Amino acid sequence: MFRSQHLSYKYALFAYFLFGLQGLVASGGAIDLLFPDLGNPIPFASGRAFHLNVSIYWPLIGMIGAMYFFFCQEAEREFYSLKLITINFWMLAGTLGLILGSLLLGFNEGREYLEAIWPLKLATAACTILLCFNLLTTYLASDMPRSRATLISMVTGSVTLIIFYVPNIVSYAHPTVDEIAKFMVVHIWEEMSLELIGTGVLAALLIQVTKVKRQAVETAIYLDITFAVLAGIIATGHHYYWIGVPSYWLWLGGTFSAMQVLPAIVLLYTTVKSITFKGIFDLSYRDKITMFLIGSSMFYHIFGAGFLGFLMAYPPLNRYVHGTYITSAHSHLALFGVFGFLVLAVCFHILFTEIMLGKKMYRWCWGAIISLNAGLLTMGLGLLIAGGLQVYFWRVIGLSIGETNEFIRPYLFIRAFGGFLYAIGSLTLTFVVIKSIWPKIQVIFQSEGRLSIVKCDDLHRMHGLVEELLQEEKKIEPLLKRIQVLYQRLLLFDKEK
Amino acid sequence: MFSKESAMQLPLKIFLATVVLSLALFFFVIYDSMAGNNLQNVPSEAVKGKMVFQKRACIECHTVFGNGGYYGGDLTKAYEKFGSNGLREYLTQPPLLSGAKKKRHIYLSNEEAEEITAYFRFLQSIPNMDWPPRPVYDKKEEPGVK
């Protein structure tokens, strides 16, 4: 195991912490929306900005950690600079801490998802530059084939993170330009950069867990990332339909959005191809949870992001459903459903590499993930119905927003209930992770730290073998007795002789 | 090893070409959308109004061009619906929020209300393919944000 991998634990742990926090804050927001008179301690605008920023940063921090973990494994060498991995972590954590603190204090740049004040956005850009520097120098120094798909997808994904973030450090006088820039982060980061990074990380994980042959998935990874780039970048057009740009964006956005289902299908194909049924039962507790989380991510990739996104991007339909809770349903299913679950999966895998996941905790994990899925589906459904009614009351029969809000209230209750289930799941899973990690917490934050000399997978395999031996023992016992009898008789015979 | 390396060159080349071409096309189309007379100049009063809009984080509850929070309704054509006087009155003497008995809409000073009205007047003038669509069965004469 590489030392770089030990250094990435803290990213995964921090991602889990933020994910738990997100469940709490979001539930507060959903309740505030239903009962505006309750007197929430956090103003709604600050709370929502907090929620949106955490939703971008926690998957990002988890993905960066996963890259530090899997990139060195794929490049088969240590990172160029180990110190930078730790520096990058504290920079990211500090930046996010300041962003969240400043948002709660009411410092808000007033651009959705990009509410942080500009110096903190500059710091975020600096963090991605540090990451890219470390990745590129390691890639160039690696002895592995230059064209190794996992390395290429992670490097390209990270470089594009910078390209699309930089235009967003400042805001623009013209609202149309603001919107054009904003979706380079809101759309392209998720649909292209994180998709590339996620594919690379997922492929590296599958190669390790399912022992699938690298050559068997290499072409599929290339196909996936090529589609992701081809569709992902220009499909941003579906966010540009009504912002004051020429009408050709309707064609561009619509056509390329339709292609966005392709990478999801290829990724599903690659994953399914690399798994065998027998193999699933042989997996350790930790990898069973990881695979379940990956499975959840695949499900939302196809349905929440793929098909729902496909329908919504069709311009004549988008004209009516745009700007309603339907978009909110889609963003929850696509952002958490796809990337949230994927990041949870890889971070879980990373954190339990050297720390054993207890049997009791394992059961809690299943409960938490089922609760997360149930919560997300309920939330998605509530929002979809609320959005559908908004379209009807607002865009079809022309009621005011106030009247519409009264009609859709019951469905926002369903959303809040879904959010409650989700929060139970997220807090349980975070609790399991933090409780399991807690005894080793100091070592995780030490740069020279090493948790154990054996990997948990080896321990798990050893445990399996001993179990098998114990099963066999029952059959062996009569045989051993017969041998013993014979042996004693032989000894006796020897003495007599 | 060498043969494997060269065998993987083609997918890599196709991938990199896709990255470069997609980026080039994307940025070219964006340039084309913004170049020439496609974007009008923003009057200074409207710029100030946009700053008020951003500082007060209006986007967390309202949408502009359909992007933002879905609670407060879309403001892209708010100027057309309410007019200068209606907007000023609404913002300087804020009414209760929908579903609330105590909580009111955020309060703005006269100056801020003027500036934000100028911003809405400018937003109104942006040719965005007439979005949001007019209600199919227009029951009221002035449907919209309240």
Side-chain angles (χ1 to χ4, degrees):
Chain A
M1 221 179 145
F2 295 102
R3 274 180 62 208
S4 312
Q5 292 183 299
H6 291 266
L7 298 176
S8 68
Y9 288 150
K10 42 187 175 292
Y11 287 86
L13 187 63
F14 191 47
Y16 260 98
F17 170 74
L18 290 171
F19 157 69
L21 186 70
Q22 178 77 310
L24 270 185
V25 174
S27 299
I31 292 170
D32 198 16
L33 208 58
L34 283 169
F35 308 104
D37 290 330
L38 268 186
N40 202 319
I42 304 168
F44 181 77
S46 302
R48 187 170 181 270
F50 190 99
H51 173 59
L52 297 184
N53 278 268
V54 175
S55 77
I56 284 195
Y57 277 89
W58 87 257
L60 180 72
I61 288 172
M63 275 298 187
I64 292 180
M67 268 199 285
Y68 281 130
F69 190 86
F70 287 106
F71 196 84
C72 52
Q73 188 175 304
E74 289 296 300
E76 295 184 22
R77 63 170 293 130
E78 288 286 3
F79 263 93
Y80 170 77
S81 164
L82 294 179
K83 249 189 197 148
L84 272 186
I85 301 181
T86 305
I87 293 174
N88 200 353
F89 173 77
W90 289 112
M91 258 181 86
L92 264 170
T95 307
L96 183 61
L98 288 174
I99 288 177
L100 297 181
S102 63
L103 287 176
L104 288 183
L105 290 175
F107 292 94
N108 193 318
E109 195 113 304
R111 289 174 67 210
E112 202 192 12
Y113 287 98
L114 297 160
E115 287 92 346
I117 49 173
W118 71 265
L120 295 174
K121 280 190 212 148
L122 203 62
T124 306
C127 292
T128 53
I129 290 171
L130 273 191
L131 166 78
C132 281
F133 172 74
N134 221 351
L135 280 183
L136 275 172
T137 42
T138 312
Y139 171 70
L140 293 175
S142 167
D143 295 327
M144 290 302 107
R146 284 274 178 274
S147 60
R148 186 170 267 196
T150 44
L151 298 179
I152 292 287
S153 63
M154 284 190 245
V155 168
T156 323
S158 314
V159 172
T160 51
L161 282 180
I162 310 175
I163 298 177
F164 294 113
Y165 193 75
V166 167
N168 279 295
I169 293 174
V170 288
S171 70
Y172 303 88
H174 201 294
T176 301
V177 185
D178 251 358
E179 295 293 301
I180 288 178
K182 180 179 103 178
F183 286 105
M184 291 185 192
V185 169
V186 179
H187 176 89
I188 303 187
W189 261 32
E190 311 299 335
E191 301 291 323
M192 206 272 282
S193 304
L194 285 183
E195 178 103 16
L196 292 191
I197 297 172
T199 307
V201 166
L202 183 62
L205 192 149
L206 288 175
I207 289 170
Q208 194 195 11
V209 172
T210 66
K211 307 280 181 288
V212 64
K213 289 241 164 58
R214 183 177 296 280
Q215 287 88 336
V217 287
E218 193 91 347
T219 318
I221 302 171
Y222 265 115
L223 197 62
D224 181 68
I225 57 177
T226 308
F227 278 147
V229 169
L230 186 66
I233 297 181
I234 301 170
T236 317
H238 65 234
H239 293 284
Y240 292 170
Y241 292 163
W242 323 113
I243 64 168
V245 291
S247 60
Y248 54 67
W249 277 106
L250 293 176
W251 290 99
L252 275 176
T255 316
F256 283 87
S257 302
M259 289 177 6
Q260 278 201 291
V261 193
L262 291 176
I265 291 172
V266 178
L267 196 63
L268 180 71
Y269 168 77
T270 320
T271 313
V272 171
K273 202 180 151 194
S274 61
I275 298 170
T276 55
F277 258 111
K278 198 173 162 289
I280 288 182
F281 292 110
D282 284 341
L283 292 177
S284 60
Y285 287 152
R286 164 250 217 170
D287 286 334
K288 274 183 190 153
I289 296 292
T290 307
M291 293 313 283
F292 188 29
L293 286 166
I294 290 175
S296 306
S297 167
M298 292 287 161
F299 174 79
Y300 297 107
H301 210 150
I302 299 289
F303 294 103
F307 283 115
L308 186 58
F310 175 80
L311 287 176
M312 286 171 62
Y314 179 56
L317 192 61
N318 186 274
R319 191 168 171 82
Y320 287 91
V321 301
H322 179 58
T324 65
Y325 279 111
I326 291 181
T327 316
S328 183
H330 173 61
S331 57
H332 281 86
L333 293 171
L335 196 59
F336 176 74
V338 181
F339 288 104
F341 272 121
L342 185 61
V343 171
L344 288 182
V346 289
C347 288
F348 197 86
H349 179 89
I350 291 172
L351 283 170
F352 290 100
T353 304
E354 290 175 284
I355 291 168
M356 199 73 171
L357 178 67
K359 198 168 187 173
K360 206 174 152 195
M361 291 298 177
Y362 172 67
R363 284 197 209 116
W364 282 100
C365 287
W366 277 98
I369 301 172
I370 289 169
S371 176
L372 277 177
N373 272 297
L376 186 63
L377 285 174
T378 314
M379 228 187 319
L381 194 71
L383 285 170
L384 268 182
I385 300 175
L389 289 176
Q390 254 186 338
V391 173
Y392 179 72
F393 287 124
W394 207 16
R395 302 264 155 82
V396 178
I397 62 175
L399 296 185
S400 75
I401 182 77
E403 289 164 320
T404 308
N405 277 345
E406 290 310 308
F407 280 117
I408 64 173
R409 189 172 283 264
Y411 303 96
L412 293 182
F413 262 109
I414 296 180
R415 185 271 284 271
F417 175 69
F420 179 64
L421 282 181
Y422 175 93
I424 291 177
S426 77
L427 288 174
T428 311
L429 199 57
T430 308
F431 174 74
V432 167
V433 166
I434 292 182
K435 190 172 187 297
S436 310
I437 302 295
W438 196 251
K440 304 275 184 186
I441 194 91
Q442 265 188 324
V443 193
I444 284 181
F445 284 95
Q446 280 164 4
S447 56
E448 291 295 323
R450 192 167 178 84
L451 294 178
S452 104
I453 43 161
V454 281
K455 273 181 151 184
C456 283
D457 274 358
D458 295 335
L459 259 179
H460 176 81
R461 235 162 266 146
M462 188 67 197
H463 183 69
L465 284 175
V466 172
E467 288 268 310
E468 217 172 294
L469 199 67
L470 285 172
Q471 292 287 325
E472 289 293 317
E473 194 197 325
K474 284 168 196 158
K475 287 186 215 160
I476 295 169
E477 221 178 336
L479 209 67
L480 275 174
K481 274 198 177 142
R482 276 165 60 195
I483 293 172
Q484 206 179 8
V485 172
L486 190 70
Y487 187 58
Q488 276 172 353
R489 206 188 293 163
L490 281 171
L491 275 179
L492 212 68
F493 180 72
D494 192 42
K495 271 184 192 168
E496 279 171 6
K497 209 178 176 185
Chain B
M1 181 63 103
F2 180 72
S3 62
K4 250 186 234 165
E5 172 97 353
S6 56
M8 283 314 297
Q9 286 300 325
L10 186 64
L12 177 62
K13 278 179 191 161
I14 296 175
F15 171 68
L16 291 178
T18 313
V19 173
V20 172
L21 286 176
S22 300
L23 282 177
L25 178 64
F26 182 64
F27 284 116
F28 170 74
V29 184
I30 284 182
Y31 168 75
D32 184 67
S33 308
M34 300 197 303
N37 292 326
N38 279 343
L39 296 184
Q40 308 149 264
N41 280 334
V42 194
S44 62
E45 187 83 346
V47 176
K48 280 186 201 158
K50 185 170 178 284
M51 289 320 294
V52 174
F53 188 84
Q54 287 184 222
K55 206 174 141 197
R56 297 297 189 125
C58 304
I59 204 72
E60 304 299 343
C61 293
H62 291 280
T63 51
V64 166
F65 302 131
N67 302 317
Y70 310 110
Y71 174 69
D74 191 77
L75 299 175
T76 317
K77 307 287 181 201
Y79 187 79
E80 182 191 24
K81 286 167 196 158
F82 294 103
S84 300
N85 292 337
L87 282 171
R88 197 181 306 118
E89 198 187 315
Y90 189 95
L91 293 168
T92 52
Q93 293 157 24
L96 287 172
L97 290 175
S98 71
K101 292 195 173 68
K102 285 185 285 184
K103 200 172 177 185
R104 288 179 182 275
H105 186 273
I106 202 168
Y107 165 82
L108 295 188
S109 69
N110 279 330
E111 196 188 350
E112 285 174 319
E114 283 304 324
E115 288 166 349
I116 219 163
T117 305
Y119 174 56
F120 288 156
R121 194 185 303 128
F122 176 72
L123 265 183
Q124 168 80 42
S125 71
I126 294 175
N128 71 335
M129 293 186 256
D130 290 325
W131 193 93
R134 289 218 160 267
V136 183
Y137 307 109
D138 210 341
K139 280 193 175 174
K140 296 179 175 180
E141 281 188 11
E142 285 193 345
V145 194
K146 195 167 183 186

